[in-house]
Amino acid sequence: MMEQTTRILSDLIAYPTVSADSNLEMIAYLANRLEDCGARVDVMFDAGGQKANLFATLGPDTDGGIVLSGHSDVVPVTDQDWTSDPFTMEERDGRLYGRGTCDMKGFIAATLAMAPEFAEQISRRPVHFAFTYDEEVGCIGAGHLVQALRERELKPRLALIGEPTSMRVVEGHKGCHEYSTRFQGLEGHGSDPGRGVNAVEYAARYVSRLLDLRGDLQQRTPPDSRFDPPWTTLNIGALNGGSAHNVIASKAQVDWEMRPVQPSDADHVKETMARYCRDTLLPAMQAIYPEASIETEVVGEVAGLTPSTQNEARELMADLLGSNAAELVPFGTEAGLFQELGMDVVVCGPGSIAQAHKADEYLSLDQLSQCLTVLNRLAGRLAD
Ligand SMILES: [Zn+2]
């Protein structure tokens, strides 16, 4: 099985599926292999037709069962100093080197190598394969995939997201929401501030209101939160605007983010800020200049994975791994999107996040073999 897996992985690494580029060739390869094992394969294209998600099913067309999920895209290699060609997999000292080996084509290769085994063992509950695009740029593909499942009213019970966790079970991470808020005011001479609308000043008031919300968010900390810090955080990453000392600034931009520990915190922040703009800032700006505006662009809203006392996916993995340990991690994944659909979800996959996104990214053969062992035990479960 190991030989088969490394052969598939080597094929996958050769597709340079950097998020900016098409992933269609790799998706076609995955579709072929899954069809060969008798899976029903659905390739769902994005609006531009250059990228696609793949969703495939082995077993009955029913609710329940498990989704094995991985993203097909990788981060760029630009300005990274690689020892060997990042898109030609190389084995050295018990490690497989190449862009995407650990994040996260290793997991995808393992599920593909195991697919014939799953097909043979499967009885009452389906196994689904979900391979997405554009994870590295805000989980865009997974958002579309989850939407498609919702429309199809398909309700898998469990999801395993194979992001690199060194094969440890991860049951929670914060969300990551990023925004750019742009202020359009009216330029004028600095000697008469009342004749213009100073975008920088309104941006400063906006920032100040955001910072006030930090207190709210701390008070809203869930009592049993295991996150560090335990509450939803807010950060102002950049504040730009204006041109000179004596000019009323007509433009300003605030780049900010929050890391919600629960979806309701994100709603609270968004609603409070929208109300503040609508009831306070905008009326004041537009009283002087009717075209004045405040617009917030959603750069990305990656849902968190909220830990829960009841989690069948965690229990299943505890069984397969022979350990009850489950952790929280500081990085985001597609897991929260699957959780929003009502599935029990854990993140667990081969390789360490410490190697992801770096030059000389690698996956150790030992990690890959642990992953295969777990998938093999999972195949055994499919028989009942
Ligand atoms: Zn990843």
Side-chain angles (χ1 to χ4, degrees), residues 104-221:
M104 54 184 288
K105 292 177 173 176
F107 176 77
I108 296 179
T111 61
L112 231 57
M114 283 299 301
E117 196 72 23
F118 291 149
E120 201 165 293
Q121 301 279 339
I122 211 145
S123 76
R124 288 177 298 120
R125 285 161 302 177
V127 174
H128 306 284
F129 301 79
F131 301 136
T132 60
Y133 64 90
D134 280 358
E135 189 271 351
E136 300 289 5
V137 289
C139 295
I140 295 166
H144 292 164
L145 182 101
V146 163
Q147 187 54 33
L149 296 185
R150 189 172 280 133
E151 279 159 20
R152 208 188 278 181
E153 294 182 20
L154 186 65
K155 292 195 183 66
R157 183 76 204 90
L158 311 176
L160 167 62
I161 318 293
E163 288 277 358
T165 64
S166 305
M167 289 309 291
R168 289 198 283 266
V169 173
V170 168
E171 59 169 333
H173 60 71
K174 291 185 181 184
C176 182
H177 292 202
E178 295 180 331
Y179 305 96
S180 290
T181 303
R182 296 190 183 92
F183 298 79
Q184 174 66 55
L186 176 65
E187 205 165 69
H189 196 279
S191 62
D192 194 356
R195 298 184 75 126
V197 175
N198 193 315
V200 165
E201 291 178 11
Y202 282 98
R205 290 175 66 182
Y206 186 89
V207 166
S208 160
R209 186 73 191 88
L210 269 176
L211 296 183
D212 283 346
L213 282 172
R214 279 185 172 159
D216 280 23
L217 292 170
Q218 289 196 21
Q219 282 189 346
R220 295 166 61 100
T221 306

Side-chain angles (χ1 to χ4, degrees), residues 10 33 52 67 114 161 244 365:
S10 158
R33 291 202 81 106
V67 177
M114 283 299 301
I161 318 293
L365 288 168

Side-chain angles (χ1 to χ4, degrees), residues 229-378:
W231 47 79
T232 293
T233 55
L234 268 175
N235 181 57
I236 314 299
L239 171 54
N240 293 300
S243 57
H245 295 78
N246 55 357
V247 179
I248 299 172
S250 67
K251 283 189 192 327
Q253 176 166 329
V254 181
D255 295 333
W256 57 286
E257 62 143 38
M258 58 176 152
R259 308 266 171 143
V261 295
Q262 50 193 352
S264 59
D265 284 354
D267 294 341
H268 175 67
V269 170
K270 283 159 70 175
E271 279 160 22
T272 305
M273 294 314 292
R275 206 178 322 118
Y276 183 58
C277 289
R278 190 184 64 226
D279 298 347
T280 306
L281 298 184
L282 273 174
M285 294 165 82
Q286 290 174 344
I288 296 162
Y289 179 53
E291 281 95 279
S293 64
I294 304 173
E295 254 144 42
T296 294
E297 178 199 348
V298 179
V299 178
E301 289 185 334
V302 177
L305 174 61
T306 312
S308 154
T309 45
Q310 293 290 320
N311 185 335
E312 271 182 50
R314 186 187 57 214
E315 282 157 27
L316 171 69
M317 290 306 288
D319 250 20
L320 300 179
L321 285 159
S323 153
N324 279 320
E327 311 177 359
L328 306 184
V329 289
F331 57 90
T333 74
E334 302 176 332
L337 289 164
F338 289 92
Q339 188 178 43
E340 280 176 355
L341 206 60
M343 294 180 226
D344 284 2
V345 188
V346 288
V347 185
C348 179
S352 161
I353 195 73
Q355 271 99 52
H357 300 196
K358 297 217 177 96
D360 290 343
E361 175 180 349
Y362 69 84
L363 174 62
S364 74
L365 288 168
D366 176 58
Q367 280 287 309
L368 193 54
S369 126
Q370 283 186 42
C371 178
L372 284 169
T373 304
V374 168
L375 291 175
N376 201 25
R377 288 180 189 152
L378 175 65

